Amino acid sequence: MNLLSMIPLVLATSGLNRVQTEGEAISLSRKFLANQVLDYSVEGSLTVEQRSGELQTFIPEDITQRYGFTLTIQKPKVDGIVQALYERPNITQVTESAGEAPQTIKIPLKYKLQMDVSPVNDVLDIVDLTPKDPKKKGSQQRTLRVLQDNLTDNVAAGLLGQFVGEMYRLALFTGNLDSSMDFAPKLPLEKVKVGDTWKRTVGFTPQKNKADANQAVQRLDYTFTYKGKMKNSAGKDILRISADFSTKADLAAYAAQLLGEKNASGEIKKLPLELSAAIDFDLDPISHHTLRATAKSQGKFEIYVGSASNAILQTNLRGRTTLKLNKINSVKTK
């Protein structure tokens, strides 16, 4: 065998030029490099349609949120875990209602979080390095609360408060580090082959216990599926992972508990809620960084009180969010 004929064999045995074969299991663990700066942008839009009382027509409202964030890989630790700095300077929200001029709110978050990130996108430890201004103590938290309340400014907000806000943010994919797409997808711990699935928790929902009538908080899980290697719209190789979740529950008893009522048969008769979502993640075949993610969601909830046969409020939700990796820079070391 001459030298030229040996080159393909050398490449194959050295791990270079590897192509996944059908049925072969591979690791999807993310590969971080020290001093990398990953620059991402996120834009989500949520259409909220509401109808209340005797109104026959749903009134639409469009909410758009935009933000950028960077993840700077500071140093490796053990088992592929790295110390990284997560920064999100601000978030902009634009609200458009029928017959009204668009309202824009820009919140200077100045998030600066030092964290340990695992190869499967778990955030293991967080140290908050966000600058504190003693003259404006609590002002950022209050402003963020206003931003979140704008997503629940209706009768449901008074009844469900934080939980309905979480459902809105799940539909918009801009919630906390678990429910947003900033550290997604949640990758499997074991090797997978095309068609394999795994579950990871993204939120929680109150549901009735099977054993009794009490309400308990249940996990809200995404089911991830590895789709394998394919071409993206630009013709480049990517690894595709899809994810979906759905929840369906009657929150009447939960709302009654929030209001201090002894049972749900008083003011709140029924409060059915449904929410489902689907996301496609495109990963770099080598580093397994998320290059792009597109998410869609839809849901609805209704509020029935007393003996009324019609809902006093009906809300439909439709969300769409895109995350993309803009560029990867390198930190200049001294």
Side-chain angles (χ1 to χ4, degrees):
M1 182 180 293
N2 59 38
L3 181 61
L4 290 177
S5 64
M6 292 178 61
I7 290 177
L9 178 61
V10 172
L11 288 174
T13 56
S14 65
L16 300 176
N17 202 32
R18 284 281 287 135
V19 177
Q20 183 185 7
T21 60
E22 186 175 354
E24 179 187 7
I26 66 169
S27 171
L28 293 177
S29 296
R30 200 169 178 181
K31 299 172 179 63
F32 297 104
L33 295 178
N35 300 318
Q36 272 188 338
V37 183
L38 291 87
D39 185 311
Y40 282 93
S41 60
V42 178
E43 179 167 338
S45 61
L46 181 68
T47 297
V48 181
E49 297 175 331
Q50 290 189 340
R51 181 171 66 184
S52 59
E54 301 298 321
L55 191 64
Q56 298 298 312
T57 304
F58 280 94
I59 305 300
E61 181 178 62
D62 292 317
I63 301 166
T64 301
Q65 289 189 346
R66 304 184 187 93
Y67 65 90
F69 71 90
T70 58
L71 187 69
T72 303
I73 312 305
Q74 297 175 316
K75 64 179 181 180
K77 303 188 86 169
V78 296
D79 299 327
I81 297 169
V82 294
Q83 178 182 294
L85 184 66
Y86 170 88
E87 296 180 273
R88 190 198 294 188
N90 54 61
I91 184 169
T92 298
Q93 176 173 300
V94 181
T95 304
E96 300 180 73
S97 302
E100 298 181 9
Q103 296 183 350
T104 300
I105 303 174
K106 187 172 183 178
I107 308 299
L109 302 178
K110 300 181 182 179
Y111 282 172
K112 191 173 184 180
L113 307 175
Q114 189 175 72
M115 55 180 61
D116 289 349
V117 183
S118 81
V120 294
N121 276 329
D122 282 334
V123 178
L124 305 177
D125 187 38
I126 297 179
V127 177
D128 189 355
L129 303 179
T130 304
K132 303 297 188 297
D133 187 345
K135 297 181 180 179
K136 299 181 179 180
K137 186 177 181 181
S139 61
Q140 178 172 298
Q141 287 73 16
R142 287 193 296 272
T143 308
L144 282 175
R145 197 173 300 117
V146 170
L147 178 65
Q148 294 172 354
D149 288 346
N150 283 341
L151 296 178
T152 57
D153 188 16
N154 47 51
V155 176
L159 296 177
L160 297 177
Q162 183 178 352
F163 175 72
V164 170
E166 182 183 354
M167 291 297 101
Y168 273 67
R169 290 184 287 278
L170 274 174
L172 196 56
F173 307 98
T174 58
N176 58 29
L177 295 181
D178 287 328
S179 59
S180 71
M181 296 194 294
D182 296 5
F183 292 90
K186 299 302 183 184
L187 299 169
L189 296 171
E190 306 295 334
K191 289 184 176 182
V192 293
K193 58 186 178 181
V194 175
D196 282 350
T197 63
W198 61 98
K199 293 180 181 291
R200 301 295 291 274
T201 301
V202 296
F204 301 88
T205 177
Q207 295 178 3
K208 187 176 294 185
N209 283 331
K210 294 181 180 179
D212 53 47
N214 293 328
Q215 292 286 305
V217 175
Q218 305 292 331
R219 288 173 37 164
L220 188 60
D221 289 339
Y222 267 104
T223 298
F224 294 92
T225 304
Y226 177 52
K227 298 290 189 176
K229 188 175 183 180
M230 58 186 66
K231 302 285 186 180
N232 64 10
S233 58
K236 296 182 178 181
D237 289 338
I238 53 95
L239 301 182
R240 172 67 56 82
I241 293 175
S242 66
D244 61 79
F245 84 86
S246 64
T247 184
K248 185 176 181 180
D250 187 340
L251 307 182
Y254 179 74
Q257 290 174 11
L258 290 179
L259 294 173
E261 297 177 13
K262 294 182 179 180
N263 56 65
S265 61
E267 273 304 303
I268 306 165
K269 181 181 178 182
K270 292 188 300 181
L271 210 164
L273 179 142
E274 298 179 18
L275 183 65
S276 61
I279 310 176
D280 283 332
F281 298 96
D282 292 350
L283 273 58
D284 182 272
I286 305 300
S287 68
H288 301 151
H289 294 322
T290 300
L291 302 176
R292 184 179 179 87
T294 55
K296 293 182 179 180
S297 65
Q298 61 180 10
K300 63 181 181 179
F301 62 86
E302 301 172 334
I303 300 176
Y304 296 82
V305 298
S307 59
S309 58
N310 295 326
I312 63 167
L313 179 71
Q314 293 175 282
T315 300
N316 297 324
L317 308 172
R318 294 193 311 275
R320 182 178 180 86
T321 300
T322 300
L323 171 145
K324 61 180 180 180
L325 177 61
N326 300 314
K327 57 186 176 181
I328 300 179
N329 295 323
S330 295
V331 176
K332 293 182 180 180
T333 57
K334 296 181 180 180

